Amino acid sequence: MTDSLLPGSVNDERARIFEELARRIGAIAPGIVSVYDIDNVESSALIHLADQFNVLGLRGWNLASTEAERRALVKEAIALHKKAGTPFAVLRVMALVGYPGATMEENPPLRYDGSWSYDGSEQYIGKRLDGFIVVLDPVQSEVSTALIELIVGLINEWKNARTKLLDLRIGDISLFSNLLQYDGSWSYDGSQEYDGIKNI
């Protein structure tokens, strides 16, 4: 140990141990201890930070395809969790993972598209008060069957519990009605081609 800088009044064994510990911590490279410097932390640590900040899986990690998107997601995780359940959180997390320009239409007007049931379970007041529609930017948004499932999962993770995603669109095209689904939404009237695969 080098010469102590402690004054004589506190230069006892406990103070010297503390001084040595402070010297050792000061010698550690800053990059090793600054794991929360998201812009500069090793890329291998990002997945662990995403786990710690609860943005793994469908909460964003599965859709973040680049390191920059993953860093941005981890960096904004705390702010996102503060706004969870709001349209802001849904649209912001979508922008972070590669879907900027998405918009949300809350309480959309009722449409005569077969989605409304006249069985008394819902009250007809001109709007769907329990749901929303997300519209992706047709220029900037890449879609495929697998990506649509991930996007829907992401939206469901960040939306509030009382509302449901009624439709996912890209521009004016409904991605829900263009997917082959065995949920009663597929019509066998010749308007859709049944070829056994999901159609975008």
Side-chain angles (χ1 to χ4, degrees), residues 31-52:
I32 294 172
V33 293
S34 54
V35 292
Y36 296 112
D37 179 9
I38 307 302
D39 291 326
N40 299 309
V41 72
E42 293 282 331
S43 59
S44 61
L46 289 175
I47 192 166
H48 304 292
L49 290 169
D51 185 26
Q52 180 180 355

Side-chain angles (χ1 to χ4, degrees), residues 86-88 90-91 102-106 132-135 155 159:
T86 66
F88 171 83
V90 172
L91 297 176
T103 59
M104 182 183 290
E105 182 183 356
E106 294 183 275
F132 61 95
I133 295 169
V134 173
V135 181
I155 292 168
K159 72 173 186 66

